[in-house]
Amino acid sequence: MATQKDLCDTIVIGAGIQGCFTAYHLAKHRKRVLLLEQFFLPHSRGSSHGQSRIIRRAYPEDFYTQMMAECYRIWAQLEHEAGTQLYRQTGLLLLGMKENPELKTIQATLSSQGVEHQYLPSEELKQRFPNIRLARGEVGLLDKSGGVLYADKALRALQDVIQQLGVIVRDGEKVMEIKPGLPVVVKTTSRSYQAKSLIITAGPWTNQLLRPLGVELPLQTLRINVCYWREKVPGSYGVSQAFPCFLGLDFSLAPHHIYGLPSGEYPGLMKVCYHHGNNADPEERDCPTAFSDIKDVHILSRFVRDRLPDLEPEPAVMEHCMYTNTPDKHFILDRHPKYDNIVIGAGFSGHGFKLSPVVGKILYELSMKLTPSYDLTSFRISRFLGLGKAHL
């Protein structure tokens, strides 16, 4: 039996942005936390690396818009604690046809939640952003709170802060076995640990950890091509020119959204990406065989050529990251159906980074058996039961 001295309150598996914010909330409530990470930090194998992410309140679902209000506050708090800038407000421009139902829903959500935004008819959009070539009938919706999160910098700052709060971080320790019970026992490549509760935030590796515990979630792991495009005139799509982040909602162009961030990460290069990728085993993400399918890059090249005429239409730099998608693209934030001291945060579907401050809070609340701050109906595992998509 573990002595009280050896027993943590909580073990968190996975030190990406979700696991780190979970550890942050636990530590803020004076819990003894062990954070395990299979790779040596920092690393680029998961979903939390890269220099930038879009932050926004613009969502069709009002529950995300609502959660983002608190996220902005916690991001600002982390900036203050770390003493460094982690966010730049640029605005987020949503592009779509006037009658686009998603655009209308987002506008209604922003209005009902009191988020500052501006509707831009075609003529005004053309005048304001002359270096975007618009389709006939295309309009814009500007979420003024939108901007760029400095992702790498934010993750490093958060890892520093949680260690100052007393979180023990063990990187380079892959989890080999989880023995459920009270305490729960976690065996790594180095040693065994015991805790009152366990939180799994393992991204694309989630099902590898859950299968031995009798659960398989309907998660699709995708390898994403992150593309950067050279400006013909450096800075023309830059923050200094007041160019915003953008999100294209026109599905006649492609089955998934296309998004972009103003140039800045790499001088003279703008990040324009496709919000989808190709099936990939996370262990084989960087293998040469994984480079065969670049259909998404062709879609982007066509978009850049037709819509962003001041960019070269071939990517200058291509990087990679992983998405872990659920069928409905909503997260999984829930307890294990059989072991209520094991909590799962998964399926962030390429839009979880900005929401991680509140995701961490919810996972903390679930692990401590507190009443969650938000309605978790859309995030429960049970929504997949009976669809043949979750195996328990």
Side-chain angles (χ1 to χ4, degrees):
M1 187 67 191
T3 64
Q4 204 59 37
K5 191 170 74 72
D6 297 331
L7 192 67
C8 304
D9 289 303
T10 309
I11 294 171
V12 180
I13 301 175
I17 197 71
Q18 311 295 349
C20 286
F21 260 121
T22 302
Y24 174 85
H25 287 286
L26 285 158
K28 286 272 182 180
H29 290 87
R30 294 185 163 74
K31 303 300 174 190
R32 293 183 61 193
V33 188
L34 172 66
L35 179 58
L36 295 173
E37 170 54 54
Q38 63 174 323
F39 300 113
F40 287 102
L41 296 171
H43 73 83
S44 60
R45 294 290 301 279
S47 307
S48 294
H49 64 283
Q51 291 180 55
S52 64
R53 297 289 188 284
I54 291 175
I55 186 168
R56 60 186 161 115
R57 289 197 68 188
Y59 263 99
E61 300 87 2
D62 59 356
F63 52 84
Y64 288 127
T65 303
Q66 192 188 343
M67 288 161 88
M68 280 308 303
E70 186 173 6
C71 288
Y72 273 98
R73 291 196 293 273
I74 299 173
W75 280 118
Q77 183 180 308
L78 180 63
E79 277 189 321
H80 176 72
E81 289 169 349
T84 186
Q85 186 186 359
L86 303 176
Y87 155 69
R88 183 159 190 169
Q89 189 172 352
T90 63
L92 169 75
L93 178 65
L94 298 142
L95 295 167
M97 291 300 162
K98 191 176 181 178
E99 62 284 355
N100 183 300
E102 188 178 7
L103 193 68
K104 286 180 170 176
T105 306
I106 292 170
Q107 188 173 7
T109 301
L110 292 178
S111 296
S112 70
Q113 303 261 340
V115 180
E116 195 184 352
H117 65 284
Q118 186 181 3
Y119 176 79
L120 298 170
S122 298
E123 281 310 308
E124 196 175 338
L125 191 55
K126 257 181 228 163
Q127 285 165 14
R128 188 104 166 251
F129 304 108
N131 49 359
I132 301 175
R133 195 180 284 144
L134 301 172
R136 186 187 295 276
E138 194 165 31
V139 297
L141 185 65
L142 191 65
D143 169 3
K144 296 192 176 181
S145 65
V148 179
L149 270 176
Y150 302 131
D152 271 349
K153 205 171 156 190
L155 184 59
R156 277 199 306 275
L158 182 56
Q159 286 167 346
D160 288 345
V161 166
I162 62 175
Q163 288 179 89
Q164 287 162 24
L165 289 169
V167 173
I168 297 163
V169 179
R170 295 268 187 266
D171 60 349
E173 286 198 33
K174 186 180 171 80
V175 171
M176 305 307 287
E177 189 184 2
I178 297 165
K179 289 182 182 167
L182 195 59
V184 60
V185 179
V186 178
K187 190 178 170 191
T188 72
T189 41
S190 299
R191 54 162 288 188
S192 285
Y193 303 96
Q194 303 189 32
K196 296 172 193 171
S197 65
L198 170 67
I199 302 173
I200 297 172
T201 51
W205 289 272
T206 298
N207 272 331
Q208 289 179 25
L209 295 171
L210 289 178
R211 267 183 219 116
L213 300 176
V215 173
E216 180 140 14
L217 298 176
L219 300 175
Q220 181 187 27
T221 55
L222 300 174
R223 178 181 156 279
I224 306 298
N225 295 314
V226 181
C227 299
Y228 297 83
W229 312 76
R230 194 171 304 285
E231 294 171 307
K232 291 174 182 174
V233 176
S236 52
Y237 290 101
V239 171
S240 60
Q241 297 298 308
F243 196 80
C245 299
F246 76 83
L247 184 59
L249 306 178
D250 184 0
F251 291 114
S252 67
L253 296 168
H256 302 276
H257 292 151
I258 292 170
Y259 67 92
L261 292 81
S263 59
E265 289 179 55
Y266 297 114
L269 299 183
M270 183 181 181
K271 181 176 178 176
V272 181
C273 301
Y274 190 46
H275 197 51
H276 200 64
N278 310 301
N279 287 320
D281 182 320
E283 300 294 350
E284 296 168 10
R285 192 201 74 176
D286 298 317
C287 297
T289 51
F291 285 80
S292 55
D293 194 343
I294 53 165
K295 191 169 73 175
D296 52 314
V297 180
H298 297 313
I299 289 168
L300 287 171
S301 288
R302 195 166 63 240
F303 177 86
V304 167
R305 185 194 66 213
D306 295 345
R307 312 300 296 278
L308 301 169
D310 295 340
L311 294 179
E312 299 289 351
E314 294 298 324
V317 173
M318 196 152 74
E319 297 173 346
H320 306 99
C321 81
M322 296 296 293
Y323 281 7
T324 308
N325 285 9
T326 62
D328 59 10
K329 309 297 185 292
H330 298 319
F331 313 154
I332 292 168
L333 309 172
D334 207 349
R335 292 193 188 94
H336 187 289
K338 191 175 171 188
Y339 309 112
D340 73 349
N341 66 334
I342 297 179
V343 171
I344 302 158
F348 295 101
S349 303
H351 67 110
F353 198 99
K354 71 184 94 57
L355 283 146
S356 55
V358 162
V359 166
K361 181 182 180 181
I362 291 167
L363 296 176
Y364 148 73
E365 289 168 341
L366 287 171
S367 73
M368 293 295 128
K369 300 193 169 63
L370 303 171
T371 304
S373 301
Y374 294 85
D375 179 1
L376 300 185
T377 306
S378 299
F379 306 121
R380 295 200 190 286
I381 294 170
S382 58
R383 73 190 193 270
F384 300 120
L385 296 178
L387 300 177
K389 287 176 176 169
H391 307 298
L392 306 180

